[in-house]
Amino acid sequence: MKVKFAVPAMALAAMLLAACNTVDGVGKDVEAAGEGIQEGSEAVEEDLKD
């Protein structure tokens, strides 16, 4: 009886861990893109001041 629950529980845990890594990676990509946009806008702002 325990085996019937253990296998699906392990499969679910594996999927959840994989999803966490994926979401973490997407978060890092979005953060990097935001930093690039911020740096670009700061460069334009400096150019406009000159």
Side-chain angles (χ1 to χ4, degrees):
M1 187 88 158
K2 290 182 183 178
V3 174
K4 287 183 181 180
F5 294 110
V7 173
M10 288 189 293
L12 179 61
M15 285 188 283
L16 289 174
L17 288 173
C20 288
N21 288 335
T22 302
V23 171
D24 184 46
V26 169
K28 289 178 182 177
D29 291 342
V30 170
E31 182 180 6
E35 289 174 357
I37 292 169
Q38 183 177 4
E39 290 171 4
S41 66
E42 289 170 355
V44 168
E45 183 179 15
E46 287 297 318
D47 288 343
L48 290 174
K49 286 183 181 177
D50 293 338

